[in-house]
Amino acid sequence: MHDAWPKDLAWALPEGGAAPLDNFSLASTRVPELRAWLATLPPEDPTLSAARLLRLLDELTRLRIDTRRRLALLEEVRPWVCRLLPVLQSHYLDAPLSLPQAARRSAEQVQDLFETLARGYQQVAAALLASTPGPARRQAAATAVQRALDALGQRLWQYWLLYSVAEPGLWWRLHRLYATAEYQGLQALTVADPEAPGHESSVHDAYARVLLVASAQPQQLRPAALVALYRAAGHWGRWLTLDAAAAAGGFQVILDQDRGPAPADHDGGPRCRHFDTRTLARALAGDGRPGPLPSLLLAHLRTVWSVPRDRQDARRPSEDRLTVVLGLNGAHACLEQPAHRHDAAPAYCLDRNEQGCGLIWPGATPDTLRVGAVLALGGVEEAAPWRVGEVRWLAREPDGVRLGVRLLPADARPVRISHGYGDTLPTPALLLPAAAGDTLLVPTAGFASGARITVWDGPPRLARLGGRVDGSAEACRYRLRWD
């Protein structure tokens, strides 16, 4: 770390706060007795188990005990928090954007558990690094910082799963932990971690995992894809190199700022770290055979990690009122019968250009509003033309949901398709004519590249679905090869 980097431990727990304690109120501070108490947590009531763990962790940060003993107690509690995570996550992972109260409570418990866990490990790390540590204390400090980074990374992941903006200061804490470990030469020390791939990790691995997920535009992924990406990034993070020198076409993070990685645009100085994801993107191309990750996720990662870039097409502010019809079938109906009264919802346009627009959906949202959803946008007047688009990203706002929409070409037209030679009932689809070759937007379920279809657009025409251009869990766009 550069000599100008501050040597203070500003990320550690502040002085003062709640009164110190000599014992737990629910369990013993002796490891065997604590282990026995943890085994009594009721698996059938995860909410109660989470509440008890949270109380225990809060008291653990206030205990007047030796630092190594505090670390030992944290190491006993952490596996139980990790074990409870998927159970609590299941309450909100596939919930609508307007979270029910029970789902919201589970999400809050997950955030609180990992925040308190992180604070406990930060407390240990600060105590171990307060003076020049010997080899054993350095190893313990590396363990504490790695655990704190992992806990804060879990918190950030929950924000992505819920399409929410991370709280102020969270990225700064992550950067500061890594920067401190780098300054102390701890970032590459291997530490045992039963919760990590291969049961070992490091400060670098935990930090790189978060950077990889953040650089993959997580707001454009559905929760199931985010879960798969977060698990995979636990393996990939150890191969990511963080350099002080700029990498053309890569990403950068600035260690004294409260924000995540961004496409690299300058050197950034001694507090900037650069990483290049293009090698990983090439490796994900594979050999065409099915792999452990969904093909749609792999296609997304290859795109965002091959050529990192900010959006260059400036949008102009807008205050237009719009009506929105969700779903491919709904969009098809709007184009097929534009003058018909459709089941539309109100929305407000925030900014727009020819390629897309930003919307705010006020109040409660339907369960079908997801990343990748197809929608039709129209004006409030009945004569206003409809325009079809795809939801590219979502973000919860205090007064509703904000969404980014990529607009399809204005000449998209509604057609119907059947498998084979008209062997099935016609299904709504959208044909996008283009000089470079027509494409077809079809439901993801039931269609795949290479499928022979009949297109009902006037006289029936035979065609075959070519390579996939883009897609989501709801709809995919394929090149169309006419017979």
Side-chain angles (χ1 to χ4, degrees):
M1 178 64 67
H2 192 271
D3 287 343
W5 186 260
K7 302 177 179 62
D8 65 281
L9 302 177
W11 44 263
L13 290 175
E15 296 294 332
L21 300 173
D22 293 317
N23 292 290
F24 287 132
S25 62
L26 297 175
S28 170
T29 57
R30 292 173 54 85
V31 169
E33 285 84 349
L34 175 61
R35 194 174 295 163
W37 179 84
L38 289 168
T40 67
L41 291 173
E44 73 282 357
D45 193 342
T47 300
L48 177 60
S49 296
R52 290 178 177 175
L53 281 175
L54 183 59
R55 181 174 175 179
L56 188 80
L57 284 168
D58 178 66
E59 293 178 353
L60 183 49
T61 63
R62 298 156 53 193
L63 284 179
R64 285 188 284 241
I65 54 175
D66 174 77
T67 299
R68 298 300 292 268
R69 189 175 173 197
R70 191 188 312 278
L71 178 58
L73 294 175
L74 284 166
E75 291 290 271
E76 292 295 327
V77 178
R78 179 174 179 254
W80 290 87
V81 174
C82 295
R83 194 175 305 172
L84 200 57
L85 173 62
V87 182
L88 293 173
Q89 268 186 345
S90 67
H91 298 164
Y92 58 85
L93 201 60
D94 292 318
L97 290 169
S98 302
L99 284 180
Q101 185 174 356
R104 189 181 304 111
R105 173 59 179 159
S106 293
E108 291 171 351
Q109 284 188 316
V110 169
Q111 286 284 9
D112 291 344
L113 282 169
F114 282 107
E115 168 62 20
T116 315
L117 195 64
R119 288 168 64 87
Y121 281 113
Q122 288 177 212
Q123 187 179 18
V124 169
L128 291 171
L129 296 174
S131 58
T132 304
R137 288 172 67 89
R138 281 174 56 81
Q139 188 67 36
T143 298
V145 176
Q146 182 267 337
R147 302 290 201 262
L149 273 169
D150 179 73
L152 294 180
Q154 293 273 8
R155 294 199 61 216
L156 195 54
W157 182 39
Q158 304 311 310
Y159 282 112
W160 292 325
L161 285 172
L162 295 171
Y163 301 107
S164 300
V165 178
E167 68 191 56
L170 183 52
W171 269 114
W172 184 86
R173 290 169 67 191
L174 281 158
H175 296 329
R176 193 66 166 205
L177 278 164
Y178 174 78
T180 301
E182 191 181 89
Y183 179 82
Q184 300 280 351
L186 305 175
Q187 80 278 12
L189 287 182
T190 299
V191 300
D193 185 357
E195 307 301 329
H199 302 296
E200 64 179 26
S201 183
S202 68
V203 169
H204 170 274
D205 295 352
Y207 185 59
R209 180 187 205 178
V210 180
L211 296 184
L212 277 176
V213 180
S215 68
Q217 299 181 9
Q219 74 278 12
Q220 296 186 10
L221 295 172
R222 294 198 177 193
L226 265 172
V227 171
L229 172 58
Y230 195 78
R231 289 172 179 165
H235 296 270
W236 299 336
R238 65 191 59 186
W239 308 112
L240 194 70
T241 301
L242 298 176
D243 298 310
F251 292 89
Q252 67 182 24
V253 286
I254 302 177
L255 299 179
D256 56 358
Q257 293 187 1
D258 186 26
R259 62 187 182 96
D265 58 0
H266 62 286
D267 185 5
R271 299 180 185 179
C272 189
R273 295 293 175 270
H274 300 265
F275 61 97
D276 194 341
T277 54
R278 288 173 294 181
T279 300
L280 179 55
R282 289 192 293 269
L284 293 177
D287 55 9
R289 292 183 295 182
L293 293 179
S295 60
L296 288 174
L297 174 59
L298 288 174
H300 171 85
L301 296 178
R302 288 196 297 268
T303 299
V304 300
W305 282 345
S306 293
V307 188
R309 62 183 183 271
D310 286 320
R311 190 180 68 208
Q312 300 297 321
D313 50 330
R315 290 180 178 173
R316 60 183 183 276
S318 173
E319 296 181 355
D320 293 344
R321 294 170 56 206
L322 301 173
T323 54
V324 180
V325 175
L326 274 177
L328 178 57
N329 288 356
H332 182 279
C334 290
L335 295 183
E336 191 174 54
Q337 297 178 302
H340 192 270
R341 291 182 61 88
H342 300 281
D343 185 15
Y348 299 91
C349 185
L350 302 175
D351 52 52
R352 67 190 311 162
N353 60 19
E354 288 302 314
Q355 289 73 45
C357 59
L359 305 179
I360 187 76
W361 189 305
T365 58
D367 294 356
T368 51
L369 181 58
R370 292 280 194 272
V371 168
V374 178
L375 46 72
L377 301 175
V380 292
E381 297 84 7
E382 289 188 6
W386 291 96
R387 188 75 182 271
V388 177
E390 300 167 303
V391 177
R392 298 299 293 167
W393 55 265
L394 293 169
R396 280 190 172 87
E397 300 280 350
D399 55 349
V401 174
R402 186 169 179 171
L403 53 152
V405 176
R406 181 179 65 186
L407 295 174
L408 298 182
D411 57 355
R413 71 174 185 261
V415 299
R416 295 178 185 274
I417 59 174
S418 300
H419 283 284
Y421 299 90
D423 301 331
T424 59
L425 290 175
T427 298
L430 298 179
L431 178 64
L432 288 76
D438 298 342
T439 58
L440 192 69
L441 187 69
V442 302
T444 298
F447 294 92
S449 179
R452 180 177 291 280
I453 60 171
T454 298
V455 179
W456 303 89
D457 180 29
R461 297 181 63 186
L462 294 177
R464 192 180 294 274
L465 296 180
R468 187 175 62 207
V469 177
D470 198 4
S472 70
E474 178 176 325
C476 286
R477 186 147 52 111
Y478 294 93
R479 294 184 179 88
L480 194 59
R481 302 202 300 264
W482 296 104
D483 286 354

